[in-house]
Amino acid sequence: MHDDGRYDDPRVTGPGGRPSADGPVSRETNFQGWPSNGEPHDPSTRPPDCDPVVRRDVPPAGAVRPTSSVPANVPPARDPHDPSDGPVNAPAARPAPVRGNAAVPARFEPQPPAVVVPQQPTPESAPDVSATPAPPDTPPDTGYGAEAPASTYVSRETPTREEDDPPLAMEAMRAVQILNPSGEVTMPRPERTRVMCVANQKGGVGKTTTTVNLAVALALHGNRVLVVDLDPQGNASTGLNVPHHTGVPDVYDCLIDSVPLEEVAQAVEGIPNLWCVPATIDLAGAEIELVSVVARESRLARAIAAYPGHFDYVFIDCPPSLGLLTVNALVAAQEVLIPIQCEYYALEGLNQLIQNINLVRQHLNPKLEVSTILLTMYDRRTRLADAVEQDVRNHFGDKVLQAVIPRNVRVSEAPSYGQSVMTYDPGSRGATSYFEAAQEIAERGVKEPVSRNA
């Protein structure tokens, strides 16, 4: 084969390598206007719609191809569809045909390497796609924007409209259920007053938060509730937006000066059927002053018993200690609600609290009992929370509420606005959990009425 753009193949040239009558034929063109003697061709004879080089491996329109000056004897890319080139995967490449004089270097655009295209099946051998039945679970193609027919395929992961409401709609439903704007009595009222002492010597387990939210939940659903803030920090008063600065009549006056409880109780704004006895910083000195007072352990019990009105629930928020203030709360109450944080330290001090409750039962209040255990700050992502829950349920049994209070930022944000989480964000997980706990406490009180003087 010569490097002049002609072939010495008898199939394209005459016998003996002589040119045929029509002249040499290039594989890259079938235009008859190309000269057969190697002379430069006349551009005027080239049709206007024809390109001098027609390649099967030409890149698509719009592609940028660099140009360079390359000698004329650079081998061209192989054509996988030409049977005269031999095997398709052969590594050798044929020399490129040259237009015009072979002695003069030609400037041309290098072509990308040929791509081996697999042979497409003939119409006779091609499978009949239309005859193949579609799989049964394939959704029908209704087109973009078209409505699906009645028998549209529905995935099992896609719930129906009745089963899956929008999150905002579900949150609104929970908020309406918790706030109870109608004011109806949706939680059962006990036959007698239930005085519950919320106590735990471990600090930071949620005693005040539990007291405030349970009281608000019960009051919103038709129960008359009184909250007695017995913690000198006054956090329960803050959560209910009750003034508790210095000079405000508080529970200290009831314990030390025997002031009647109705004179210091304040109605909680925005929450019907809810009252609060605030605590000021003066209560910090009550521990020392009660030492010399006669019947120091039962001062609060007498004040509650002398209240002229009737309450369904009385919640006493205790300080994180086992001093005289906590003892007064244990003597005045008949039920103890123990919030337990789902951590090991909360379990460590629980044994000593149970011992003190037993001592008060033996010597001061034989009707006292641990009736309710509430798990707070539950973090479902940790195994420790699950282990603590299992230990508490195995030890206390049915006294542990089924409702568990999770960690929720809304519960911590609510006191900064002077509200409980029930009114701050009634659709949050924290409000829903406290609502379920209050409902469970109310139902237990109906099944097992507390023998308390009205």
Side-chain angles (χ1 to χ4, degrees):
M1 181 180 291
H2 302 283
D3 193 14
D4 56 358
R6 296 176 296 179
Y7 292 93
D8 293 337
D9 193 342
R11 294 176 295 179
V12 296
T13 61
R18 294 187 300 274
S20 62
D22 297 335
V25 179
S26 173
R27 287 186 305 154
E28 300 181 356
T29 180
N30 56 359
F31 176 52
Q32 299 179 1
W34 290 110
S36 60
N37 54 359
E39 295 296 332
H41 68 280
D42 187 4
S44 62
T45 61
R46 170 174 167 267
D49 57 348
C50 181
D51 190 54
V53 179
V54 179
R55 296 293 299 272
R56 299 183 183 179
D57 52 356
V58 174
V64 179
R65 300 182 298 181
T67 60
S68 60
S69 181
V70 184
N73 57 356
V74 177
R78 290 177 54 80
D79 187 359
H81 299 286
D82 196 339
S84 62
D85 283 348
V88 175
N89 296 326
R94 292 183 179 275
V98 180
R99 312 299 179 208
N101 192 0
V104 181
R107 182 179 182 83
F108 71 100
E109 298 177 357
Q111 304 299 329
V115 180
V116 179
V117 181
Q119 185 179 2
Q120 299 295 332
T122 61
E124 293 77 5
S125 61
D128 188 2
V129 181
S130 61
T132 303
D137 292 341
T138 304
D141 186 10
T142 57
Y144 179 77
E147 296 184 359
S151 60
T152 303
Y153 167 82
V154 179
S155 173
R156 287 182 296 178
E157 288 80 7
T158 305
T160 60
R161 182 177 301 178
E162 292 77 8
E163 297 176 356
D164 184 22
D165 292 332
L168 292 178
M170 298 188 64
E171 185 175 351
M173 292 174 59
R174 292 196 300 266
V176 173
Q177 182 184 11
I178 291 174
L179 293 177
N180 190 24
S182 63
E184 298 179 358
V185 181
T186 59
M187 291 187 182
R189 300 179 61 180
E191 298 179 358
R192 299 177 181 273
T193 303
R194 298 180 63 183
V195 182
M196 305 187 69
C197 169
V198 184
N200 194 335
Q201 65 178 357
K202 172 73 170 58
V205 298
K207 294 186 298 295
T208 301
T209 303
T210 299
T211 302
V212 170
N213 289 288
L214 290 180
V216 172
L218 291 169
L220 287 174
H221 291 265
N223 289 267
R224 294 172 56 87
V225 184
L226 174 66
V227 175
V228 179
D229 190 0
L230 209 60
D231 189 354
Q233 301 179 52
N235 295 139
S237 304
T238 302
L240 295 175
N241 198 22
V242 174
H244 59 97
H245 52 82
T246 303
V248 175
D250 63 336
V251 70
Y252 172 84
D253 299 329
C254 298
L255 296 177
I256 303 300
D257 299 333
S258 300
V259 176
L261 199 63
E262 66 270 12
E263 296 183 8
V264 298
Q266 302 181 27
V268 178
E269 183 179 0
I271 309 295
N273 302 322
L274 180 59
W275 290 263
C276 176
V277 178
T280 63
I281 193 63
D282 298 337
L283 192 60
E287 291 276 358
I288 300 175
E289 297 182 21
L290 284 175
V291 173
S292 58
V293 175
V294 178
R296 56 189 180 184
E297 298 90 357
S298 58
R299 302 285 291 183
L300 182 61
R302 294 180 181 179
I304 295 176
Y307 193 88
H310 171 74
F311 292 105
D312 297 317
Y313 292 90
V314 177
F315 288 96
I316 305 174
D317 184 26
C318 298
S321 64
L322 295 176
L324 282 177
L325 293 178
T326 303
V327 172
N328 266 268
L330 294 175
V331 173
Q334 292 192 345
E335 299 181 58
V336 181
L337 191 156
I338 305 177
I340 299 178
Q341 185 181 4
C342 294
E343 292 185 1
Y344 176 74
Y345 287 151
L347 290 178
E348 189 177 16
L350 187 60
N351 188 22
Q352 185 175 0
L353 176 62
I354 297 299
Q355 292 179 0
N356 291 338
I357 292 175
N358 292 333
L359 290 176
V360 172
R361 181 189 300 127
Q362 294 176 4
H363 300 283
L364 299 173
N365 186 8
K367 299 179 180 180
L368 183 65
E369 64 174 353
V370 179
S371 62
T372 308
I373 305 292
L374 179 62
L375 297 174
T376 61
M377 304 181 188
Y378 182 84
D379 191 352
R380 67 181 64 183
R381 300 171 298 178
T382 61
R383 295 183 179 180
L384 176 62
D386 183 69
V388 172
E389 179 184 7
Q390 296 300 325
D391 292 343
V392 173
R393 292 189 184 277
N394 293 335
H395 182 75
F396 290 98
D398 296 338
K399 295 181 179 180
V400 184
L401 297 178
Q402 296 298 324
V404 178
I405 310 302
R407 287 188 177 272
N408 187 253
V409 67
R410 297 300 187 185
V411 177
S412 303
E413 289 177 357
S416 62
Y417 295 91
Q419 301 181 35
S420 65
V421 72
M422 314 301 294
T423 56
Y424 175 69
D425 190 357
S428 62
R429 293 173 54 241
T432 304
S433 301
Y434 272 115
F435 171 76
E436 294 175 355
Q439 192 171 17
E440 193 172 352
I441 290 174
E443 293 175 355
R444 289 187 177 188
V446 174
K447 295 178 181 179
E448 299 178 2
V450 181
S451 57
R452 173 68 181 173
N453 294 330

